[in-house]
Amino acid sequence: MASTTPSRLLENAMKYADQPALSTPSGEGWATETWSEFATYVMDVARALVALGFEPGDKLSIYSYNRREWYGGYLAAQMAGGAGVGIYHPSSAEEVEWVAGNSESKVLFVGDNPMAAGDKSKMPQHRLMQVIDGLPAVEHFVLLPGVGGVEHERMITWDAFMGHGSGVETATLHERVGALTEADTSALIYTSGTTGNPKGAYSDHLGVVSGTMNYICQTAMVLQLLTERGDAPTVQPSALVAVPLFHVPGEVPLFLQSFAMGRKLVLMPKWDATNALELLEKEQITYFVGVPLMSYEIAVHPEREKYDLSQCKTFAGGGAARPIEHVKKIKDAFKDGFPALGYGLTETNGVGAGNLNENYLAKPNSTGMPSLPLVDMAILDDDGEPLPQGQIGEVSIRSVCNFLGYWKNEDATKAAFSKDGYFRTGDLGYLDEDNYLFIVDRKKDIIIRGGENISCIEVEEAIYAHPKVAECSVFGLPDERFGEIPAAVYFPHPGQSLSVDELQEFLREHIAAFKVPSVMWQSEEQLPRLGTQKVDKRTVKATFAKEHLAA
């Protein structure tokens, strides 16, 4: 049998049969099931898909927040011979239509949105009808438990959906799993780009499984070091799911790696730093990963000392740069654990480079060394030629973990790779004498002020160094004199006051004067974020710079 995601699930369901696999909110409490129970559940969902006419090669789109049905649907689609497609749950009806339509999904799971307050978490009936009418090729819309809907011939409740599968034999599922090859499509992940429609990065089982095993090797290495020191966790490995599963950090290093190593997953439907601290203690979480801002929020939480987090040995970040000052603060806050940072993209299945433990403390502004032996990393110039060590160019990755291309977008696929098969990340960086990767900026995020290049990342790090700043975003604005000038929006920690003049004075002591944003706004609330939980620069810029741009 080929090494595919569903074959790995069946194998590990037997290996870790009686160990806890998944802990999810249930009513007023929590429900925990074993690996054996969860595998049975996935097979039941797969049976229901097959009964609906889901064939090998078909796609299942999942429009939902993190919940049991997300896991079940994603794996069940693969067990039935097809692929899963995650859709960011606060997406508009138009965005849902684009992803489900572009991916040619046959079935769409529809869930609620807990990110919205009160009744807004429920999808309005007119919006649901808009999605149905806009997707004539989708044969079935399955409402997840607790979701209300409207009468429609293509609408089916969860209970009715699951009831359809009772007549599908287990042998049918084993045949489909056995027929899968490593070259079959495993999943589509739509990039959270800031312009235009998102692109669907599709990968085969070889790439996804290889990416998963890459993270298994890293975890095994860290565990070996902790064991030698006598600092290893004394409980079952576990991880808190605080990032959306539709995005690659949630899918590969967290979700699939946990299945491969028997690590229990504890689901958080909605990010909340206080709730995270409660779950870290209650569930004795050993591994935490999220966007860098998450681990920082729990590190500086005013009630952090109330909670016993001694079993958690890693506080990892990915998907965005972590300000240097945060690295030390996280280590100081969590005496029994270490900060870590991973660098990877949707197109590389999250695989690229990693900076761990003492190495990260020694070089906190680096994303670490390329993940050997799978990653061949090069710094390329605009013509796709490799640059010498220390020179800045486009970070490019050649790896078995890489995606195959952008779904139904040959031009974008061709542009994404160099002539030698390197995926061009769009990040500018360099490798130092120790082969550590340093990201300088995104190619498109460089501000050119009167001929001087200004790195958005550099300015953001300088702003984050101010102890009163919780979040910030730096971007360029058109200027008649200089062509472009740096601008910034910042959000202070709750209860803190920081004027624009005070922050600019602080910045002049840390970065060159021409890099200090001459236009700044203080936000009264947290900055908007993308589905990946990165700050949404496009929305921030459009919101705060509206009048400036109009002028």
Side-chain angles (χ1 to χ4, degrees), residues 260-497:
M261 61 182 286
R263 183 171 64 190
K264 181 180 74 171
L265 289 169
V266 179
L267 268 68
M268 279 187 71
K270 178 181 179 181
W271 170 250
D272 177 82
T274 302
N275 185 219
L277 285 166
E278 294 169 349
L279 291 173
L280 284 166
E281 178 183 63
K282 176 179 177 292
E283 300 286 340
Q284 294 189 293
I285 300 297
T286 63
Y287 175 77
F288 178 85
V289 62
V291 295
L293 187 62
M294 290 178 173
S295 49
Y296 180 71
E297 283 182 1
I298 59 178
V300 299
H301 194 283
E303 297 181 343
R304 176 184 51 78
E305 296 290 347
K306 289 172 49 179
Y307 301 93
D308 178 9
L309 310 182
S310 58
Q311 292 292 348
C312 196
K313 305 301 179 181
T314 300
F315 294 86
R322 176 181 273 146
I324 297 173
E325 285 73 17
H326 290 192
V327 178
K328 185 177 186 303
K329 287 181 179 178
I330 290 170
K331 177 54 185 170
D332 290 343
F334 306 118
K335 302 298 183 184
D336 297 295
F338 280 93
L341 185 69
Y343 172 75
L345 299 92
T346 298
E347 293 87 348
T348 67
N349 278 297
V351 175
N355 206 354
L356 312 171
N357 296 25
E358 287 90 353
N359 291 358
Y360 192 19
L361 297 177
K363 296 192 178 188
N365 56 338
S366 170
T367 55
M369 293 184 288
S371 299
L372 299 176
L374 297 183
V375 171
D376 174 13
M377 183 176 288
I379 307 299
L380 304 181
D381 63 18
D382 290 341
D383 296 323
E385 298 297 331
L387 292 168
Q389 174 205 315
Q391 287 196 20
I392 295 174
E394 186 170 8
V395 180
S396 303
I397 294 173
R398 190 164 57 184
S399 165
V400 67
C401 308
N402 281 359
F403 76 136
L404 299 180
Y406 296 113
W407 190 255
K408 298 171 65 177
N409 195 335
E410 294 183 6
D411 290 341
T413 299
K414 184 177 180 180
F417 291 94
S418 75
K419 62 180 182 298
D420 296 322
Y422 285 93
F423 169 66
R424 309 191 67 149
T425 67
D427 289 322
L428 295 177
Y430 66 93
L431 294 166
D432 73 359
E433 64 278 4
D434 298 319
N435 210 35
Y436 274 69
L437 174 65
F438 290 77
I439 301 296
V440 176
D441 216 324
R442 291 289 295 174
K443 290 180 74 173
K444 63 184 179 183
D445 279 348
I446 286 182
I447 300 167
I448 304 178
R449 178 188 181 275
E452 293 282 357
N453 287 355
I454 300 174
S455 162
C456 290
I457 289 179
E458 180 186 3
V459 179
E460 286 175 353
E461 286 187 345
I463 295 174
Y464 273 121
H466 196 292
K468 292 184 179 181
V469 173
E471 297 180 12
C472 74
S473 179
V474 173
F475 46 86
L477 290 176
D479 181 79
E480 189 173 289
R481 179 182 177 191
F482 295 103
E484 199 175 22
I485 56 172
V489 178
Y490 65 97
F491 171 61
H493 288 291
Q496 298 285 348
S497 176

Side-chain angles (χ1 to χ4, degrees), residues 187-214:
L188 280 79
I189 302 179
Y190 278 75
T191 61
S192 56
T194 55
T195 58
N197 288 319
K199 299 188 295 291
Y202 69 98
S203 298
D204 57 16
H205 284 276
L206 177 62
V208 173
V209 172
S210 297
T212 302
M213 299 312 295
N214 170 83

Side-chain angles (χ1 to χ4, degrees), residues 131-285:
V131 171
I132 295 173
D133 292 339
L135 291 169
V138 174
E139 295 182 5
H140 300 282
F141 292 82
V142 180
L143 299 180
L144 301 188
V147 180
V150 295
E151 294 295 327
H152 194 282
E153 61 182 5
R154 288 187 286 153
M155 186 80 68
I156 183 172
T157 65
W158 183 257
D159 288 342
F161 165 71
M162 293 296 284
H164 283 312
S166 58
V168 178
E169 298 292 334
T170 301
T172 301
L173 299 182
H174 284 294
E175 288 174 3
R176 292 205 178 185
V177 173
L180 284 173
T181 72
E182 294 177 344
D184 285 319
T185 300
S186 172
L188 280 79
I189 302 179
Y190 278 75
T191 61
S192 56
T194 55
T195 58
N197 288 319
K199 299 188 295 291
Y202 69 98
S203 298
D204 57 16
H205 284 276
L206 177 62
V208 173
V209 172
S210 297
T212 302
M213 299 312 295
N214 170 83
Y215 278 96
I216 287 286
C217 292
Q218 287 187 1
T219 299
M221 176 186 67
V222 172
L223 180 60
Q224 177 65 27
L225 291 171
L226 293 175
T227 301
E228 291 174 358
R229 299 173 185 170
D231 294 332
T234 58
V235 296
Q236 178 195 2
S238 58
L240 187 64
V241 183
V243 291
L245 293 168
F246 85 94
H247 185 58
V248 72
E251 180 197 340
V252 178
L254 186 55
F255 171 30
L256 294 179
Q257 183 190 180
S258 297
F259 286 164
M261 61 182 286
R263 183 171 64 190
K264 181 180 74 171
L265 289 169
V266 179
L267 268 68
M268 279 187 71
K270 178 181 179 181
W271 170 250
D272 177 82
T274 302
N275 185 219
L277 285 166
E278 294 169 349
L279 291 173
L280 284 166
E281 178 183 63
K282 176 179 177 292
E283 300 286 340
Q284 294 189 293
I285 300 297

Side-chain angles (χ1 to χ4, degrees), residues 527-542:
L527 303 186
R529 303 181 189 182
L530 295 166
T532 61
Q533 292 301 300
K534 300 177 189 177
V535 171
D536 185 350
K537 283 195 173 188
R538 183 176 66 168
T539 299
V540 171
K541 182 175 180 178

